[in-house]
Amino acid sequence: MLLKSQRRTIALCSTAAGLLIWACVTWGAGQVPAIFVSPSPARFDAASAFEFTRVVAEQLPDRVTSTSAAHRAANYLRTQFRNSGYAVLLKPFPLWLRGKQVEGENVIALAEGDSQESVAILAHYDSQFTSHQAAEDNASGVGVLLELARSLRLTPHTHGLILVATDAEEWGMIGAQSLTDFLKSHHTVGVISINYVMAGPPRSLQMNCMGQFAGYTPLWLRQLLVASGRAQGASVEQATGWREWIERALEVSGQDQGPLLRAGIPAVDVGTLSTQIEAARRRHHSPEDIFRNFDPAAFRMVGATVEQAVGALDALPSAGRGSGRPVSSVWSLPSAGTRWAQERGAEDFQVNSRTYLRGGLIFTVQLLLLLPILVAAYFAAQNLIDGDLDLRGWRFFEPVSWIVPLGLATLLLYGLTELNVLPRYELYPATPKDPFLSRLPFPILVALLGVIIMGWVKVQSLRARVDAPPVPFAVKKRILFIWVAIVVLVGFFNNPYAMWLYLGAFAYAAVLLLPPRGVTRRLVNAALLIAAAVPFSILLFSFGREMYMGWRIVWYLVLQTAYGVWSPVAIALFLMTLVLGAQLFLISVLASNQVAESARVEELVTRPSRQSGRRSGDFYIKQ
């Protein structure tokens, strides 16, 4: 694919990029500024939250969105908020659930402050079809929310307070999604979502920071929650390093902070972890999730921390009012972190609990990693242009034709969902352990497979009509690699974290593929391509286990596609990666003996016409 001099240039670019990355990480990494939060006496009553949780779980079970039980729960919550001295609003919103258009209902409690800005606390009250009491997920969060409604009214607040019991969290955070305009209109400077107080002795708090399709919790808010937990004697676990990289790549949140972060509202989710995590996993989204074995200390841990964090947020000066900029971008903290906290911080990447990389720096590192791939693609394109082969029309675009059958199947999937043949959900498919996920609809699968086969046959018939003589391995690899580079570049600007997680190893493997002469080279090529698929395979296996689905996680991805979890750009990138990977495997591993023999052209490379007096298309022996 590349001339010897070009390979040397790429090696030099790779070395230079590696040195620059080392310099960026070594000298550019900063120490996470410590935020000091002065401990304040907790007015949060764990026993009261414990009792609220019992009532919601035992007396208001089966709180599935739009059911009569959910309406009873909403009325109960409205009454409790009013009893605590709040003005209460009920905000309905439409959504699709199990093939029916229904209505969810957020319960919003408001208390004015001296400032026009507000601080918000959320907890979802809806449950799943597969559970009954849904005590841990999330009657427990609602119990904490109701007790916070009482305790926060005991002291004056500069910022207004917004407490929301959200609906339809289980189906894609639809209630929180419908809340974004309301929170913006009230100049909400920070949101804390409470989800899942785990039964059993508490171990620590867990922070969730992932945005829904975009966004991540700003570093200053993460540090503020950690400091608030420390002030109340609680440790807070959070994703850093490779775990944060994966979360930023996925962008499919599981809690209510997700859609708020996408809308640019600083938000974070907090819950508790117990010493009995495996037992909690077994109970999750099942009839066993009942009000049993809760430890009041867990309620105090999360309640006192959130109360402390709200006080810290309330102490932030309103420097940004009237500046035309988001308030969160100009906040300062009464601590050593003042200068750092004045920046938005959502792009800052936390390497570990002590070190972080600024958003611009981590982007520079990701861009430098891309440099060798772009240089290789440039040389591949240059060699194609300088060659004597006719690359007009079909020849260059032939690799893209492989996506046509899969693209037609995707369009059919959208159509079947729009017609409600595949029962519609608003965003996320059915919740884990729901039988809907394990019952494969064979008529729909047969229809999708039929479209793929017919599309493939049609594309093959069109190929047969094109007079395109065989080309050597080097030329095929150049064409495919240029398309790989295009996919990588689009993926990079769509989400650089996702691009490097899913496509980075694939792009470098494509550069290194050898002409398939002999068994050894074929095995090396196979190992490179298989290794490139390892990150995606591991994630797929992990989420199959997390969702209790095993191999059916592949069907879950299809459902996510149908319901719009993945954007059209993400779907196109995924399908293009599949077809390009398949074609590279065919030409470098499974090529026929005739094609393998033609790979000897690697020893006779087209001499670029600009570098010799011969006409383009002459050959010479590589030195």
Side-chain angles (χ1 to χ4, degrees):
M1 183 181 85
L2 300 172
L3 304 180
K4 192 173 182 179
S5 61
Q6 293 171 341
R7 290 199 295 271
R8 282 198 299 266
T9 301
I10 292 172
L12 288 173
C13 285
S14 300
T15 303
L19 290 173
L20 287 171
I21 289 170
W22 175 82
C24 287
V25 173
T26 302
W27 293 309
Q31 185 174 1
V32 176
I35 294 179
F36 177 74
V37 173
S38 180
S40 58
R43 293 174 172 80
F44 182 87
D45 185 350
S48 175
F50 190 84
E51 178 61 18
F52 278 131
T53 300
R54 185 194 67 78
V55 171
V56 174
E58 294 183 347
Q59 298 182 18
L60 300 166
D62 303 312
R63 303 176 302 279
V64 178
T65 300
S66 82
T67 62
S68 58
H71 291 309
R72 287 196 299 273
N75 288 331
Y76 169 78
L77 295 169
R78 177 172 58 180
T79 300
Q80 295 304 316
F81 283 138
R82 283 177 174 170
N83 290 344
S84 295
Y86 291 81
V88 183
L89 304 173
L90 296 180
K91 289 283 188 179
F93 55 89
L95 72 152
W96 283 92
L97 183 56
R98 279 192 168 181
K100 296 179 180 179
Q101 215 165 8
V102 299
E103 192 172 75
E105 193 171 43
N106 288 332
V107 184
I108 304 173
L110 300 167
E112 292 184 358
D114 298 329
S115 166
Q116 294 180 354
E117 296 163 346
S118 301
V119 174
I121 311 172
L122 315 181
H124 79 91
Y125 69 91
D126 62 302
S127 64
Q128 322 80 29
F129 287 106
T130 53
S131 64
H132 177 54
Q133 291 188 7
E136 287 172 293
D137 187 15
N138 188 40
S140 59
V142 174
V144 173
L145 180 71
L146 291 176
E147 170 53 21
L148 282 170
R150 182 200 67 82
S151 66
L152 290 174
R153 292 292 279 167
L154 298 178
T155 56
H157 285 271
T158 302
H159 291 72
L161 293 176
I162 302 175
L163 284 76
V164 188
T166 58
D167 198 358
E169 187 265 2
E170 300 291 352
W171 319 109
M173 296 86 231
I174 310 302
Q177 192 179 105
S178 71
L179 198 63
T180 55
D181 288 340
F182 180 87
L183 293 176
K184 286 182 177 181
S185 69
H186 284 74
H187 310 288
T188 304
V189 297
V191 182
I192 300 174
S193 165
I194 304 168
N195 186 58
Y196 214 95
V197 178
M198 197 175 286
R203 185 184 82 188
S204 64
L205 295 173
Q206 182 181 41
M207 187 193 315
N208 297 294
C209 305
M210 195 188 312
Q212 188 181 60
F213 316 140
Y216 205 79
T217 301
L219 193 49
W220 65 263
L221 184 53
R222 286 180 261 168
Q223 287 302 106
L224 185 141
L225 189 63
V226 169
S228 298
R230 189 186 305 118
Q232 293 297 326
S235 63
V236 182
E237 297 184 23
Q238 61 174 315
T240 60
W242 64 269
R243 288 176 57 207
E244 180 176 333
W245 191 293
I246 291 175
E247 288 190 356
R248 288 179 178 272
L250 291 174
E251 292 188 332
V252 181
S253 62
Q255 301 85 21
D256 274 339
Q257 86 286 346
L260 307 183
L261 290 168
R262 183 187 184 187
I265 301 171
V268 67
D269 176 84
V270 64
T272 68
L273 295 173
S274 79
T275 58
Q276 304 167 354
I277 292 179
E278 283 305 312
R281 273 182 48 80
R282 290 192 297 271
R283 293 190 299 270
H284 186 236
H285 286 199
S286 79
E288 296 179 24
D289 182 8
I290 61 176
F291 186 78
R292 182 175 57 194
N293 297 330
F294 278 106
D295 189 331
F299 287 90
R300 189 203 175 280
M301 182 183 287
V302 65
T305 297
V306 173
E307 185 181 276
Q308 179 80 70
V310 170
L313 284 168
D314 195 55
L316 295 175
S318 305
R321 185 178 305 139
S323 68
R325 292 181 291 168
V327 174
S328 59
S329 69
V330 289
W331 276 350
S332 59
L333 293 174
S335 72
T338 299
R339 184 184 301 275
W340 165 68
Q342 288 175 342
E343 300 178 357
R344 183 172 55 177
E347 291 81 19
D348 293 339
F349 180 81
Q350 192 164 357
V351 180
N352 52 47
S353 60
R354 299 177 301 278
T355 310
Y356 80 106
L357 296 174
R358 292 184 181 274
L361 189 61
I362 189 68
F363 182 81
T364 301
V365 169
Q366 294 166 330
L367 193 59
L368 287 170
L369 284 169
L370 192 61
L371 181 62
I373 297 171
L374 297 180
V375 173
Y378 170 77
F379 284 146
Q382 185 182 61
N383 292 343
L384 281 178
I385 293 170
D386 290 343
D388 198 29
L389 292 166
D390 183 4
L391 297 175
R392 292 173 297 177
W394 175 258
R395 177 70 68 189
F396 184 74
F397 291 99
E398 189 268 344
V400 184
S401 68
W402 286 51
I403 202 176
V404 171
L406 296 174
L408 292 174
T410 303
L411 292 176
L412 176 63
L413 184 66
Y414 286 150
L416 293 174
T417 306
E418 189 67 27
L419 295 172
N420 214 18
V421 175
L422 180 65
R424 288 182 67 175
Y425 286 80
E426 186 66 26
L427 186 58
Y428 290 5
T431 55
K433 298 183 181 178
D434 193 308
F436 174 78
L437 299 180
S438 58
R439 289 196 299 261
L440 300 181
F442 287 102
I444 291 177
L445 293 177
V446 169
L448 294 174
L449 183 60
V451 167
I452 292 173
I453 292 173
M454 287 188 294
W456 179 255
V457 170
K458 185 63 176 176
V459 169
Q460 288 296 97
S461 68
L462 291 174
R463 283 198 190 117
R465 298 180 189 178
V466 177
D467 183 17
V471 294
F473 167 83
V475 175
K476 287 184 178 179
K477 182 183 170 183
R478 287 169 189 160
I479 294 172
L480 289 172
F481 184 74
I482 290 170
W483 281 109
V484 169
I486 291 171
V487 168
V488 163
L489 199 57
V490 174
F492 182 83
F493 286 105
N494 188 56
N495 181 337
Y497 291 93
M499 191 286 288
W500 281 116
L501 181 64
Y502 300 127
L503 299 177
F506 175 61
Y508 276 101
V511 175
L512 299 173
L513 292 177
L514 303 169
R517 298 197 309 277
V519 174
T520 302
R521 290 192 173 199
R522 290 173 185 257
L523 289 176
V524 169
N525 291 340
L528 285 170
L529 292 173
I530 291 171
V534 166
F536 178 74
S537 301
I538 291 176
L539 278 178
L540 203 61
F541 173 80
S542 300
F543 284 106
R545 179 179 179 274
E546 190 73 20
M547 298 286 294
Y548 314 97
M549 294 190 69
W551 64 269
R552 287 186 177 86
I553 192 65
V554 176
W555 172 240
Y556 188 79
L557 294 181
V558 174
L559 290 174
Q560 286 184 314
T561 301
Y563 300 136
V565 172
W566 309 116
S567 70
V569 172
I571 294 167
L573 291 173
F574 176 75
L575 296 182
M576 277 298 295
T577 303
L578 281 182
V579 300
L580 291 172
Q583 291 174 80
L584 286 169
F585 198 85
L586 284 175
I587 69 167
S588 64
V589 180
L590 303 179
S592 64
N593 290 331
Q594 180 182 2
V595 174
E597 183 64 23
S598 73
R600 294 184 184 275
V601 176
E602 285 291 283
E603 302 297 330
L604 298 167
V605 182
T606 303
R607 182 190 295 271
S609 57
R610 302 176 208 163
Q611 299 178 9
S612 76
R614 302 178 189 178
R615 66 178 177 83
S616 175
D618 288 352
F619 295 95
Y620 71 100
I621 303 297
K622 278 201 303 181
Q623 300 300 317

